[in-house]
PDB file of all heavy atoms in Angstrom:
ATOM      1  N   MET A 146       2.654 -26.282  -4.246  1.00 75.00           N
ATOM      2  CA  MET A 146       2.074 -25.303  -3.320  1.00 75.00           C
ATOM      3  C   MET A 146       0.663 -24.942  -3.707  1.00 75.00           C
ATOM      4  O   MET A 146       0.371 -24.789  -4.884  1.00 75.00           O
ATOM      5  CB  MET A 146       3.002 -24.041  -3.534  1.00 75.00           C
ATOM      6  CG  MET A 146       2.536 -22.894  -2.604  1.00 75.00           C
ATOM      7  SD  MET A 146       3.379 -21.353  -2.834  1.00 75.00           S
ATOM      8  CE  MET A 146       5.032 -21.889  -2.104  1.00 75.00           C
ATOM      9  N   SER A 147      -0.158 -24.892  -2.720  1.00 84.00           N
ATOM     10  CA  SER A 147      -1.671 -24.594  -2.984  1.00 84.00           C
ATOM     11  C   SER A 147      -1.779 -23.257  -3.499  1.00 84.00           C
ATOM     12  O   SER A 147      -1.058 -22.261  -3.022  1.00 84.00           O
ATOM     13  CB  SER A 147      -2.387 -24.839  -1.855  1.00 84.00           C
ATOM     14  OG  SER A 147      -2.285 -26.280  -1.374  1.00 84.00           O
ATOM     15  N   SER A 148      -2.816 -23.023  -4.359  1.00 90.00           N
ATOM     16  CA  SER A 148      -3.003 -21.681  -4.769  1.00 90.00           C
ATOM     17  C   SER A 148      -3.818 -21.001  -3.874  1.00 90.00           C
ATOM     18  O   SER A 148      -4.447 -21.568  -2.899  1.00 90.00           O
ATOM     19  CB  SER A 148      -3.883 -21.653  -6.176  1.00 90.00           C
ATOM     20  OG  SER A 148      -5.054 -22.220  -5.926  1.00 90.00           O
ATOM     21  N   ASP A 149      -3.951 -19.566  -3.916  1.00 87.00           N
ATOM     22  CA  ASP A 149      -4.767 -18.872  -3.007  1.00 87.00           C
ATOM     23  C   ASP A 149      -6.222 -19.329  -2.911  1.00 87.00           C
ATOM     24  O   ASP A 149      -6.895 -19.485  -1.925  1.00 87.00           O
ATOM     25  CB  ASP A 149      -4.782 -17.320  -3.382  1.00 87.00           C
ATOM     26  CG  ASP A 149      -3.528 -16.615  -3.088  1.00 87.00           C
ATOM     27  OD1 ASP A 149      -2.575 -17.215  -2.456  1.00 87.00           O
ATOM     28  OD2 ASP A 149      -3.240 -15.457  -3.513  1.00 87.00           O
ATOM     29  N   GLN A 150      -6.810 -19.658  -4.134  1.00 86.00           N
ATOM     30  CA  GLN A 150      -8.132 -20.007  -4.198  1.00 86.00           C
ATOM     31  C   GLN A 150      -8.322 -21.446  -3.553  1.00 86.00           C
ATOM     32  O   GLN A 150      -9.408 -21.592  -2.885  1.00 86.00           O
ATOM     33  CB  GLN A 150      -8.572 -20.150  -5.824  1.00 86.00           C
ATOM     34  CG  GLN A 150     -10.053 -20.391  -5.895  1.00 86.00           C
ATOM     35  CD  GLN A 150     -10.908 -19.438  -5.189  1.00 86.00           C
ATOM     36  OE1 GLN A 150     -10.813 -18.167  -5.399  1.00 86.00           O
ATOM     37  NE2 GLN A 150     -11.812 -19.864  -4.503  1.00 86.00           N
ATOM     38  N   LEU A 152      -6.657 -22.638  -1.041  1.00 89.00           N
ATOM     39  CA  LEU A 152      -6.527 -22.295   0.331  1.00 89.00           C
ATOM     40  C   LEU A 152      -7.777 -21.653   0.854  1.00 89.00           C
ATOM     41  O   LEU A 152      -8.363 -22.006   1.973  1.00 89.00           O
ATOM     42  CB  LEU A 152      -5.349 -21.527   0.611  1.00 89.00           C
ATOM     43  CG  LEU A 152      -3.966 -22.034   0.537  1.00 89.00           C
ATOM     44  CD1 LEU A 152      -2.777 -21.078   0.627  1.00 89.00           C
ATOM     45  CD2 LEU A 152      -3.829 -23.296   1.518  1.00 89.00           C
ATOM     46  N   GLY A 164      -6.360 -21.415   6.382  1.00 87.00           N
ATOM     47  CA  GLY A 164      -6.516 -19.869   6.629  1.00 87.00           C
ATOM     48  C   GLY A 164      -5.192 -19.319   7.145  1.00 87.00           C
ATOM     49  O   GLY A 164      -4.806 -18.270   6.755  1.00 87.00           O
ATOM     50  N   SER A 165      -4.626 -20.014   8.009  1.00 91.00           N
ATOM     51  CA  SER A 165      -3.377 -19.599   8.624  1.00 91.00           C
ATOM     52  C   SER A 165      -2.226 -19.548   7.482  1.00 91.00           C
ATOM     53  O   SER A 165      -1.433 -18.519   7.562  1.00 91.00           O
ATOM     54  CB  SER A 165      -2.791 -20.576   9.643  1.00 91.00           C
ATOM     55  OG  SER A 165      -3.813 -20.567  10.858  1.00 91.00           O
ATOM     56  N   THR A 166      -2.204 -20.549   6.639  1.00 93.00           N
ATOM     57  CA  THR A 166      -1.247 -20.459   5.543  1.00 93.00           C
ATOM     58  C   THR A 166      -1.490 -19.206   4.608  1.00 93.00           C
ATOM     59  O   THR A 166      -0.548 -18.665   4.227  1.00 93.00           O
ATOM     60  CB  THR A 166      -1.376 -21.756   4.727  1.00 93.00           C
ATOM     61  OG1 THR A 166      -1.148 -22.885   5.585  1.00 93.00           O
ATOM     62  CG2 THR A 166      -0.443 -21.791   3.502  1.00 93.00           C
ATOM     63  N   LEU A 167      -2.786 -18.986   4.420  1.00 89.00           N
ATOM     64  CA  LEU A 167      -3.096 -17.936   3.404  1.00 89.00           C
ATOM     65  C   LEU A 167      -2.579 -16.532   4.152  1.00 89.00           C
ATOM     66  O   LEU A 167      -2.077 -15.677   3.488  1.00 89.00           O
ATOM     67  CB  LEU A 167      -4.618 -17.884   3.339  1.00 89.00           C
ATOM     68  CG  LEU A 167      -5.171 -17.109   2.010  1.00 89.00           C
ATOM     69  CD1 LEU A 167      -4.520 -17.546   0.771  1.00 89.00           C
ATOM     70  CD2 LEU A 167      -6.719 -17.369   2.025  1.00 89.00           C
ATOM     71  N   PHE A 168      -2.859 -16.449   5.409  1.00 91.00           N
ATOM     72  CA  PHE A 168      -2.394 -15.285   6.149  1.00 91.00           C
ATOM     73  C   PHE A 168      -0.991 -15.048   6.070  1.00 91.00           C
ATOM     74  O   PHE A 168      -0.295 -14.025   5.927  1.00 91.00           O
ATOM     75  CB  PHE A 168      -2.927 -15.122   7.538  1.00 91.00           C
ATOM     76  CG  PHE A 168      -4.501 -14.849   7.578  1.00 91.00           C
ATOM     77  CD1 PHE A 168      -5.209 -14.587   6.418  1.00 91.00           C
ATOM     78  CD2 PHE A 168      -5.151 -14.768   8.960  1.00 91.00           C
ATOM     79  CE1 PHE A 168      -6.501 -14.433   6.502  1.00 91.00           C
ATOM     80  CE2 PHE A 168      -6.441 -14.562   8.922  1.00 91.00           C
ATOM     81  CZ  PHE A 168      -7.234 -14.317   7.817  1.00 91.00           C
ATOM     82  N   ASP A 169      -0.259 -16.177   6.392  1.00 93.00           N
ATOM     83  CA  ASP A 169       1.214 -16.126   6.528  1.00 93.00           C
ATOM     84  C   ASP A 169       1.754 -15.714   5.068  1.00 93.00           C
ATOM     85  O   ASP A 169       2.757 -15.004   5.032  1.00 93.00           O
ATOM     86  CB  ASP A 169       1.759 -17.427   6.704  1.00 93.00           C
ATOM     87  CG  ASP A 169       1.501 -17.791   8.234  1.00 93.00           C
ATOM     88  OD1 ASP A 169       1.299 -16.991   9.055  1.00 93.00           O
ATOM     89  OD2 ASP A 169       1.698 -19.095   8.538  1.00 93.00           O
ATOM     90  N   ARG A 170       1.124 -16.130   4.072  1.00 94.00           N
ATOM     91  CA  ARG A 170       1.581 -15.765   2.710  1.00 94.00           C
ATOM     92  C   ARG A 170       1.496 -14.268   2.433  1.00 94.00           C
ATOM     93  O   ARG A 170       2.321 -13.702   1.688  1.00 94.00           O
ATOM     94  CB  ARG A 170       0.714 -16.549   1.755  1.00 94.00           C
ATOM     95  CG  ARG A 170       1.083 -16.341   0.229  1.00 94.00           C
ATOM     96  CD  ARG A 170       0.237 -17.176  -0.673  1.00 94.00           C
ATOM     97  NE  ARG A 170       0.528 -18.680  -0.525  1.00 94.00           N
ATOM     98  CZ  ARG A 170       0.053 -19.575  -1.095  1.00 94.00           C
ATOM     99  NH1 ARG A 170      -0.960 -19.318  -1.973  1.00 94.00           N
ATOM    100  NH2 ARG A 170       0.338 -20.961  -0.989  1.00 94.00           N
ATOM    101  N   TYR A 171       0.624 -13.529   3.026  1.00 93.00           N
ATOM    102  CA  TYR A 171       0.453 -12.206   2.810  1.00 93.00           C
ATOM    103  C   TYR A 171       0.711 -11.205   3.948  1.00 93.00           C
ATOM    104  O   TYR A 171       0.521  -9.976   3.857  1.00 93.00           O
ATOM    105  CB  TYR A 171      -1.005 -11.964   2.246  1.00 93.00           C
ATOM    106  CG  TYR A 171      -1.156 -12.445   0.812  1.00 93.00           C
ATOM    107  CD1 TYR A 171      -1.906 -13.629   0.679  1.00 93.00           C
ATOM    108  CD2 TYR A 171      -0.547 -11.865  -0.219  1.00 93.00           C
ATOM    109  CE1 TYR A 171      -2.035 -14.216  -0.654  1.00 93.00           C
ATOM    110  CE2 TYR A 171      -0.685 -12.318  -1.504  1.00 93.00           C
ATOM    111  CZ  TYR A 171      -1.446 -13.526  -1.677  1.00 93.00           C
ATOM    112  OH  TYR A 171      -1.465 -14.013  -2.946  1.00 93.00           O
ATOM    113  N   PHE A 172       1.124 -11.802   5.035  1.00 93.00           N
ATOM    114  CA  PHE A 172       1.339 -10.844   6.310  1.00 93.00           C
ATOM    115  C   PHE A 172       2.307  -9.668   5.970  1.00 93.00           C
ATOM    116  O   PHE A 172       2.122  -8.627   6.278  1.00 93.00           O
ATOM    117  CB  PHE A 172       1.800 -11.704   7.455  1.00 93.00           C
ATOM    118  CG  PHE A 172       1.999 -10.934   8.728  1.00 93.00           C
ATOM    119  CD1 PHE A 172       1.005 -10.603   9.537  1.00 93.00           C
ATOM    120  CD2 PHE A 172       3.391 -10.453   9.033  1.00 93.00           C
ATOM    121  CE1 PHE A 172       1.100  -9.879  10.590  1.00 93.00           C
ATOM    122  CE2 PHE A 172       3.500  -9.697  10.170  1.00 93.00           C
ATOM    123  CZ  PHE A 172       2.478  -9.346  10.929  1.00 93.00           C
ATOM    124  N   ASP A 173       3.516 -10.126   5.388  1.00 91.00           N
ATOM    125  CA  ASP A 173       4.549  -9.116   5.146  1.00 91.00           C
ATOM    126  C   ASP A 173       3.934  -8.111   4.152  1.00 91.00           C
ATOM    127  O   ASP A 173       4.451  -6.982   4.231  1.00 91.00           O
ATOM    128  CB  ASP A 173       5.815  -9.839   4.578  1.00 91.00           C
ATOM    129  CG  ASP A 173       6.583 -10.564   5.663  1.00 91.00           C
ATOM    130  OD1 ASP A 173       6.262 -10.327   6.824  1.00 91.00           O
ATOM    131  OD2 ASP A 173       7.496 -11.479   5.345  1.00 91.00           O
ATOM    132  N   ALA A 174       3.295  -8.525   3.163  1.00 92.00           N
ATOM    133  CA  ALA A 174       2.856  -7.589   2.057  1.00 92.00           C
ATOM    134  C   ALA A 174       1.932  -6.570   2.770  1.00 92.00           C
ATOM    135  O   ALA A 174       1.978  -5.373   2.420  1.00 92.00           O
ATOM    136  CB  ALA A 174       2.154  -8.280   0.882  1.00 92.00           C
ATOM    137  N   PHE A 195      -6.842  -8.360   8.801  1.00 91.00           N
ATOM    138  CA  PHE A 195      -6.949  -9.828   8.646  1.00 91.00           C
ATOM    139  C   PHE A 195      -8.281 -10.244   9.416  1.00 91.00           C
ATOM    140  O   PHE A 195      -8.985 -11.155   8.987  1.00 91.00           O
ATOM    141  CB  PHE A 195      -5.829 -10.552   9.328  1.00 91.00           C
ATOM    142  CG  PHE A 195      -4.558 -10.585   8.395  1.00 91.00           C
ATOM    143  CD1 PHE A 195      -3.477 -10.019   8.617  1.00 91.00           C
ATOM    144  CD2 PHE A 195      -4.779 -11.365   7.108  1.00 91.00           C
ATOM    145  CE1 PHE A 195      -2.388 -10.004   7.647  1.00 91.00           C
ATOM    146  CE2 PHE A 195      -3.640 -11.442   6.225  1.00 91.00           C
ATOM    147  CZ  PHE A 195      -2.494 -10.764   6.588  1.00 91.00           C
ATOM    148  N   LEU A 215      -7.701  -8.614  -0.490  1.00 94.00           N
ATOM    149  CA  LEU A 215      -7.078  -8.354   0.828  1.00 94.00           C
ATOM    150  C   LEU A 215      -6.605  -6.968   0.924  1.00 94.00           C
ATOM    151  O   LEU A 215      -6.709  -6.258   2.035  1.00 94.00           O
ATOM    152  CB  LEU A 215      -5.893  -9.420   1.136  1.00 94.00           C
ATOM    153  CG  LEU A 215      -5.309  -9.363   2.518  1.00 94.00           C
ATOM    154  CD1 LEU A 215      -6.265  -9.569   3.621  1.00 94.00           C
ATOM    155  CD2 LEU A 215      -4.182 -10.252   2.524  1.00 94.00           C
TER     156      LEU A 215
END
Side-chain angles (χ1 to χ4, degrees):
M146 179 183 294
S147 299
S148 68
D149 290 352
Q150 187 56 51
L152 289 171
S165 296
T166 300
L167 203 52
F168 284 2
D169 288 344
R170 182 173 291 177
Y171 288 107
F172 181 85
D173 287 343
F195 284 111
L215 186 60

